[in-house]
Amino acid sequence: MVAPGFVFGLVLPLIVRADASAGVGFRFASYIGNDMVLQKEPAGAVIWGYGISGATVTVSLWQGQETIMKKVTSVKAHSNSWMVVLDPMKPGGPYEVMAQQTFGRTNITLRVHDVLFGDVWLCSGQSNMQMTVSQIFNATRELANTVAYQSVRIFSVSLIQAEQELEDLAQVDLQWAKPTSENLGHGAFKYMSAVCWLFGRDLYDALRYPIGLISSSWGGTPIEAWSSGRSLKACGVPTRGFTQSDTVTGPSKYSVLWNAMIHPLHNMSLKGVIWYQGESNVNFNRDLYNCTFPALIEDWRQTFHRGSQGQTERFFPFGFVQLSSYLSATSDDTFPEIRWHQTADFGFVPNARMPSTFMAVAMDLCDRKSPFGSIHPRDKQTVAYRLHLGARAVAYGEKLIFQGPLPENVELLADRGLLNLTYSQEIQVQRQDKIFEISCCSDHQCKWLPAPMDAFSAQTLALNIRSCRGALAAVRYAWTTWPCEYKQCPLYHPSSTLPAPPFIAFMTDRKPGEHSKLAGDIVAL
């Protein structure tokens, strides 16, 4: 499944650091530095670091010569850490953050310059999130387009593993920085994430205030490496007996990336998370992904909410990219199943198991000629644009269309040999006779047959099911690894050009002429 000669991501030595405070003096946490973005109102930004046990720490926020606020705390005895929560701030800046440690007659002062307040987003996943701007379409133009986005600040976590949860990052690839062609296009799969950057840039265009972007990704990694032991246990993930598949080329040991690359950020006040992962679970605990992914989201939300002293919302917005297409020597259901499991088997988000989530459908963004293998399509601009639409709707409450059309009802017209689908939105249709399929059963055996499009209107689509000589058991759409060519799937929303997501629905106990709600009811495996 891996393109010959291709490596999903960089592999760095294992670094285990159980106590990030050991042997250090007075300092900020690793990700607090010049040029950073702190989370704006209504949250209070968390500032923390390490010092001498028992010392007093005063944190102040300055703008020019004016003191905006002061917070006083002390260094905890066991962890040697200190923490304050700033008062909520409106977006803007720049500000200076100053921290002063007083211990006896000794004073030490730290300063962080050019700090902005805005929204902070964490971007994580595997290689499609790790790809840099230098690897995508129109890379030269994109790398040069940074002057107008100096209030979009970027930060990248190093590729590190750990056996236990770290309290602070052991290593940083890119400290907070203003975007440049050099730090956005540093190298193949070597920071800064293109999807992360483009998503933040689109958000800035819409919101017009500072955006902070934190990239923490590693190619070829399964979801289990990014999950805490708690969430894996909740899903009954087996602890032994697995043979690693060729889709897993990065660290696969359970929780090692959660421990080293996510948990150290949990004190931070965040606006939300975007995620692009799943390819490495195609042949690795695939059947559990409909639990492990919702469980990861829930666990990250709990951990960040608690770590930030309640400043990060308990159900903060979580966006993700549904898997794109891949040229495979064999055609099977593995990719479609992961796409389906990414929605907890609903076919859409938000849903009852995945509240406050949003999804970018990417199955129509295939890339046959990608030099990084077809599993790594280069059109990350469209991915980011679709993600930002979801964020604007779910995270910012805008009234806009952010997902493609999904069937709401299905009607079996057996006497006419038709299956009639009614969609939730208007549909723009391009005829394609093999992308819809029906499961036809006779003699206790079922097989999938094409269901050609017969007729359509603004929100309805009739499928020809006359080829079925038995009982109709199910219908599905785009249930293949490579459903269509680039932006040529048959169903889109007309004005937003958002593609209809794949779905599967079972027709159990269906009577001719009976209507049933599709989304959320029989769209469940």
Side-chain angles (χ1 to χ4, degrees), residues 122-141:
L122 170 61
C123 312
S124 187
Q126 57 180 110
S127 51
N128 271 302
M129 183 64 85
Q130 196 182 11
M131 287 177 73
T132 67
V133 180
S134 63
Q135 296 177 267
I136 65 175
F137 285 140
N138 302 315
T140 301
R141 185 179 69 191

Side-chain angles (χ1 to χ4, degrees), residues 156-223:
S156 189
V157 176
S158 294
L159 280 63
I160 301 292
Q161 306 174 58
E163 295 293 331
Q164 294 88 29
E165 291 180 344
L166 304 186
E167 291 305 311
D168 196 13
L169 295 171
Q171 190 172 320
V172 173
D173 269 351
L174 177 66
Q175 290 286 352
W176 283 105
K178 298 175 183 179
T180 67
S181 59
E182 289 76 21
N183 58 31
L184 285 175
H186 193 79
F189 302 99
K190 197 176 179 183
Y191 74 81
M192 170 66 181
S193 164
V195 170
C196 191
W197 160 249
L198 296 166
F199 169 78
R201 192 181 72 181
D202 287 342
L203 274 187
Y204 178 80
D205 284 340
L207 302 172
R208 308 308 298 180
Y209 60 69
I211 300 292
L213 302 170
I214 299 169
S215 175
S216 184
S217 306
W218 196 327
T221 51
I223 196 171

Side-chain angles (χ1 to χ4, degrees), residues 26 40 43 121 133 154 159 186 203 234 241 253 309 320 343 372 400 443 450 474 480 513 525:
F26 183 52
K40 71 168 187 66
W121 286 83
V133 180
I154 57 178
L159 280 63
H186 193 79
L203 274 187
K253 192 171 182 180
Q309 310 298 305
F320 64 94
T343 67
F372 313 105
L400 50 76
D443 298 326
T480 181
L525 289 172

Side-chain angles (χ1 to χ4, degrees), residues 80-384:
N80 292 328
S81 65
W82 54 270
M83 178 183 292
V84 300
V85 178
L86 300 182
D87 298 335
M89 293 288 295
K90 294 184 181 298
Y95 296 90
E96 179 178 86
V97 176
M98 184 173 75
Q100 184 177 64
Q101 177 182 263
T102 303
F103 188 72
R105 296 182 178 179
T106 305
N107 291 322
I108 302 175
T109 301
L110 305 174
R111 288 182 173 86
V112 174
H113 306 284
D114 195 14
V115 174
L116 304 179
F117 284 86
D119 281 337
V120 182
W121 286 83
L122 170 61
C123 312
S124 187
Q126 57 180 110
S127 51
N128 271 302
M129 183 64 85
Q130 196 182 11
M131 287 177 73
T132 67
V133 180
S134 63
Q135 296 177 267
I136 65 175
F137 285 140
N138 302 315
T140 301
R141 185 179 69 191
E142 297 289 10
L143 289 172
N145 184 23
T146 61
V147 174
Y149 298 100
Q150 295 300 291
S151 292
V152 181
R153 307 290 175 81
I154 57 178
F155 179 96
S156 189
V157 176
S158 294
L159 280 63
I160 301 292
Q161 306 174 58
E163 295 293 331
Q164 294 88 29
E165 291 180 344
L166 304 186
E167 291 305 311
D168 196 13
L169 295 171
Q171 190 172 320
V172 173
D173 269 351
L174 177 66
Q175 290 286 352
W176 283 105
K178 298 175 183 179
T180 67
S181 59
E182 289 76 21
N183 58 31
L184 285 175
H186 193 79
F189 302 99
K190 197 176 179 183
Y191 74 81
M192 170 66 181
S193 164
V195 170
C196 191
W197 160 249
L198 296 166
F199 169 78
R201 192 181 72 181
D202 287 342
L203 274 187
Y204 178 80
D205 284 340
L207 302 172
R208 308 308 298 180
Y209 60 69
I211 300 292
L213 302 170
I214 299 169
S215 175
S216 184
S217 306
W218 196 327
T221 51
I223 196 171
E224 290 78 7
W226 297 100
S227 303
S228 73
R230 297 178 299 277
S231 61
L232 295 177
K233 184 178 180 181
C235 291
V237 176
T239 57
R240 61 182 63 187
F242 276 96
T243 301
Q244 186 160 307
S245 78
D246 60 357
T247 60
V248 180
T249 59
S252 61
K253 192 171 182 180
Y254 297 168
S255 304
V256 292
L257 303 185
W258 159 260
N259 291 339
M261 296 177 67
I262 300 298
H263 187 269
L265 304 170
H266 77 290
N267 291 340
M268 181 183 294
S269 302
L270 288 180
K271 178 63 176 180
V273 169
I274 59 171
W275 171 261
Y276 196 159
Q277 190 277 336
E279 298 92 339
S280 286
N281 283 97
V282 166
N283 294 312
F284 189 82
N285 289 345
R286 180 178 67 253
D287 293 341
L288 293 175
Y289 203 91
N290 59 357
C291 181
T292 52
F293 185 37
L296 175 142
I297 296 172
E298 168 63 14
D299 189 63
W300 284 27
R301 284 172 167 169
Q302 283 192 31
T303 303
F304 276 85
H305 180 68
R306 292 171 182 165
S308 66
Q309 310 298 305
Q311 299 306 306
T312 297
E313 289 182 13
R314 173 63 180 83
F315 294 97
F316 62 72
F318 195 109
F320 64 94
V321 183
Q322 195 177 49
L323 294 193
S324 188
S325 300
Y326 169 66
L327 283 173
S328 176
T330 59
S331 180
D332 56 31
D333 288 351
T334 55
F335 249 59
E337 286 176 4
I338 285 288
R339 290 189 189 115
W340 189 247
H341 291 339
Q342 286 180 297
T343 67
D345 299 351
F346 279 77
F348 62 91
V349 295
N351 60 51
R353 291 187 59 203
M354 300 175 68
S356 195
T357 58
F358 54 95
M359 172 177 72
V361 175
M363 67 181 182
D364 66 331
L365 302 180
C366 50
D367 189 352
R368 289 180 179 272
K369 298 180 179 179
S370 172
F372 313 105
S374 62
I375 204 165
H376 298 113
R378 289 167 289 175
D379 182 359
K380 294 298 190 272
Q381 291 90 337
T382 303
V383 169

